[in-house]
Amino acid sequence: QVQLVESGGGLVQAGGSLRLSCAASGRTFSSYSMGWFRQAPGKDRDFVAAISWSGDSTYYADSVKGRFTITRDNAKNTVYLQMNSLKPEATAVYYCAADSEVYVLTTTAYEYDYWGQGTQVTVSS
């Protein structure tokens, strides 16, 4: 079992920045690839970014490429999502997730094994 707790969400103006954190506890954090997803009201949960167990490989949704950065610190059991140049359409609940498949990064939500409770990000125009 892995428990995930997100933090760092809030209200920011368009063009601003936020850094989300996801703290993990339970089984060995470095045994998991990690992902960030987001879900706006009435919409599906969409992939945002993923990072390999070592941090050497990352993958981003086209909509955030060049503006968002996913990193991890295995010593702190934490994964981060730095979000810059935020747009109003980024408003959503952001979730982190853990995937026990460490060799392949996936963008598919159902392939992730554990999820956090989410943190709200609101971008005002």
Side-chain angles (χ1 to χ4, degrees), residues 59-75:
Y59 189 75
Y60 298 91
D62 287 343
S63 59
V64 306
K65 203 172 295 182
R67 298 184 298 113
F68 289 15
T69 302
I70 186 172
T71 57
R72 68 189 294 164
D73 185 338
N74 286 344

Side-chain angles (χ1 to χ4, degrees), residues 75-108:
K76 295 183 178 180
N77 289 354
T78 303
V79 62
Y80 305 95
L81 184 68
Q82 177 67 42
M83 305 186 294
N84 298 330
S85 302
L86 281 162
K87 303 176 182 180
E89 50 264 42
T91 295
V93 177
Y94 282 71
Y95 299 90
C96 71
D99 180 11
S100 58
E101 173 53 69
V102 297
Y103 295 110
V104 178
L105 296 182
T106 180
T107 64
T108 307

Side-chain angles (χ1 to χ4, degrees), residues 15-51:
S17 298
L18 279 176
R19 188 175 83 153
L20 305 183
S21 300
C22 173
S25 60
R27 297 191 65 180
T28 307
F29 179 65
S30 59
S31 298
Y32 296 87
S33 301
M34 299 297 295
W36 285 97
F37 288 75
R38 64 188 179 188
Q39 188 167 20
K43 295 189 176 181
D44 293 336
R45 190 168 296 190
D46 292 332
F47 170 78
V48 176
I51 189 167

